[in-house]
Amino acid sequence: MVDTLGLGLGLTLVAIAVALHYSKGAGWNPSDDISQEVLERRAETVAETDFPEPMNRSIGGGGGAAAVGGAGAEGELAGDEEEEEGFDPASIPEDEVEYFEVEYVNEGSTIEVANNETLLDAGEDEGWDLPYACRQGQCLSCGGKVTNGDAHEYVQHSNNETLGDDEVEKGYVLTCTAYPTADLSLETNETP
């Protein structure tokens, strides 16, 4: 009933498969992984920043600040950081908190904003859908413009890594890190 030829052929094929399985083979070794080296070479060719810019596709963060501020932006940004270094609105004692009248022009309303509250947070507390992205002063998504003049006279930024000094003089602010220091009028969703 059992075909001896088929049985013999099957056993021979099994023996060959077992022999090939246990044989040493041709000695192929996989090549070294060079992916880290390739990434490091690529990172050397891309400008790097100290902050992750939203929607930035380049390795290492990219050059968002240089694109916004132009050739002299790095010096201007370093100057701004030194000027405002140490400003911490959370450290303002409760008995020293001041309130200022801020007119939100596009929203058609004037509200009181404390000097320890950002212009963005105050607007959101009113239920307004104001633009923002990083909430750290590192992009222009929350940009606004003080219509009264030089923004240095009306707000203080806790962090500003995007706007140059000349742009702030023209009235531009980052509402996510801008705290009022005087009564002002603000146009939201305005960028230089």
Side-chain angles (χ1 to χ4, degrees), residues 6-182:
L7 183 63
L9 187 58
L11 288 174
T12 306
L13 288 175
V14 168
I16 291 173
V18 168
L20 287 175
H21 177 74
Y22 286 108
S23 68
K24 201 159 187 133
W28 175 80
N29 291 322
S31 60
D32 294 334
D33 182 18
I34 63 168
S35 60
Q36 187 62 35
E37 182 182 330
V38 170
L39 287 174
E40 287 172 4
R41 273 197 231 148
R42 172 71 178 123
E44 289 173 4
T45 64
V46 178
E48 192 166 328
T49 62
D50 292 335
F51 58 93
E53 186 174 327
M55 305 303 286
N56 193 338
R57 295 184 184 129
S58 62
I59 296 173
V68 173
E74 290 181 29
E76 292 173 13
L77 292 175
D80 288 347
E81 289 172 5
E82 290 173 15
E83 178 182 311
E84 297 178 3
E85 186 176 313
F87 172 63
D88 180 19
S91 68
I92 299 173
E94 284 297 317
D95 59 340
E96 294 181 20
V97 173
E98 298 179 59
Y99 293 87
F100 301 100
E101 295 289 322
V102 177
E103 176 189 6
Y104 286 77
V105 176
N106 297 345
E107 288 72 25
S109 186
T110 300
I111 61 173
E112 280 191 342
V113 181
N115 64 343
N116 64 352
E117 181 178 25
T118 66
L119 298 173
L120 176 62
D121 288 341
E124 287 182 331
D125 288 347
E126 294 294 313
W128 301 327
D129 186 22
L130 300 177
Y132 69 89
C134 72
R135 288 188 176 267
Q136 297 175 357
Q138 300 173 345
C139 69
L140 282 174
S141 299
C142 68
K145 185 172 185 182
V146 175
T147 60
N148 305 70
D150 186 348
H152 288 111
E153 299 174 18
Y154 299 96
V155 300
Q156 184 172 9
H157 286 97
S158 61
N159 186 26
N160 174 12
E161 296 183 12
T162 306
L163 294 175
D165 195 42
D166 58 330
E167 294 166 330
V168 177
E169 287 174 3
K170 293 177 185 174
Y172 292 102
V173 297
L174 302 174
T175 62
C176 71
T177 61
Y179 297 84
T181 57

